Amino acid sequence: MVDLRSIKPLDEQAIYNSVGKTHRVVIVEQDRPFCGVGGRDCYRIQNNIFDELDAPVLRVSQEDVPMPYNERLEQAVLPNMDKLMAAVKKGLLRMNSR
């Protein structure tokens, strides 16, 4: 797991080393999926070390809707553990189905 506390400068080598160990990537971010920082990181990983991947890069992000004011709805829109676990299982199942 790599926790990017800084995106500028971005420690790309730490990301690439982690991908080299696991050969899978799940990007989790509290941003919309369209044009988020995770999209940029996804591009860099696929562009620079594609051959290290055993499964597609998966992203868990905020739903692509306006942020609601209601706290319960807000929690449904944001990334959460259930969404993360579903993405991880999806990535593992894709590899096992080959």
Side-chain angles (χ1 to χ4, degrees), residues 27-97:
I27 296 175
V28 181
E29 63 177 331
Q30 188 175 329
D31 197 358
R32 294 194 174 140
F34 179 74
C35 294
V37 173
R40 184 207 56 193
D41 294 340
C42 180
Y43 167 77
R44 285 183 176 181
I45 291 166
Q46 292 184 24
N47 189 50
N48 296 330
I49 58 168
F50 180 79
D51 292 336
E52 289 289 331
L53 296 171
D54 286 341
V57 176
L58 300 174
R59 291 177 62 204
V60 178
S61 62
Q62 172 182 319
E63 301 295 327
D64 199 11
V65 299
M67 184 58 74
Y69 289 105
N70 180 291
E71 185 178 351
R72 186 179 254 166
L73 293 175
E74 180 182 356
Q75 294 306 315
V77 167
L78 295 174
N80 58 44
M81 188 58 69
D82 292 335
K83 293 176 185 178
L84 174 59
M85 292 306 296
V88 169
K89 288 177 183 178
K90 180 178 177 183
L92 291 174
L93 288 175
R94 288 188 80 122
M95 182 58 189
N96 292 335
S97 65

Side-chain angles (χ1 to χ4, degrees), residues 1-2 12-25 45 48-54:
M1 179 173 96
V2 178
E12 289 184 52
Q13 197 56 49
I15 296 169
Y16 301 155
N17 290 342
S18 180
V19 174
K21 291 177 187 175
T22 63
H23 304 286
R24 290 177 178 76
V25 178
I45 291 166
N48 296 330
I49 58 168
F50 180 79
D51 292 336
E52 289 289 331
L53 296 171
D54 286 341

Side-chain angles (χ1 to χ4, degrees), residues 2-17:
V2 178
D3 183 3
L4 298 177
R5 296 183 183 268
S6 170
I7 57 173
K8 190 161 182 128
L10 179 65
D11 188 0
E12 289 184 52
Q13 197 56 49
I15 296 169
Y16 301 155
N17 290 342

